[in-house]
């Protein structure tokens, strides 16, 4: 196994469609500004209810990205 150092940051993705889409939205957006994304961990799942129906999903994520070598 190679030796890497990672930085971890927390993000929140949201979707009207479901938890899976909220995760995908978060990762897609993070990948636009962060390089070397390697992994994610779901830390929270929550949602909004309106009139007895699920209206919106929010998923908290920790994402890890490799710190680039300086050599």
């Amino acid at each position: 196994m190679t030796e890497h150092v990672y930085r971890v940051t927390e993000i929140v993705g949201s979707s009207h469609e479901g938890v899976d889409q909220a995760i995908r939205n978060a990762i897609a957006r993070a990948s636009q500004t962060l390089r070397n994304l390697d992994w994610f961990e779901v830390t929270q799942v929550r949602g909004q209810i309106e009139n007895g129906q699920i209206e919106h999903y929010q998923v908290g994520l920790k994402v890890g990205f490799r710190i680039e070598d300086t050599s």
Side-chain angles (χ1 to χ4, degrees):
M1 181 175 196
T2 59
E3 296 179 9
H4 296 293
V5 175
Y6 293 89
R7 174 140 185 139
V8 178
T9 191
E10 293 189 55
I11 60 176
V12 176
S14 61
S15 173
H16 290 285
E17 299 172 25
V19 171
D20 183 68
Q21 191 59 48
I23 293 169
R24 292 179 186 281
N25 290 345
I27 297 298
R29 179 59 184 91
S31 69
Q32 292 177 7
T33 56
L34 298 173
R35 292 188 308 271
N36 303 319
L37 286 173
D38 274 354
W39 57 268
F40 72 91
E41 172 187 354
V42 174
T43 58
Q44 298 178 349
V45 176
R46 60 183 170 266
Q48 178 184 2
I49 300 170
E50 288 188 17
N51 301 317
Q53 300 290 321
I54 297 173
E55 177 64 23
H56 204 85
Y57 299 86
Q58 286 187 331
V59 179
L61 305 167
K62 288 184 180 180
V63 292
F65 55 97
R66 273 178 286 116
I67 296 176
E68 294 176 342
D69 292 332
T70 57
S71 52

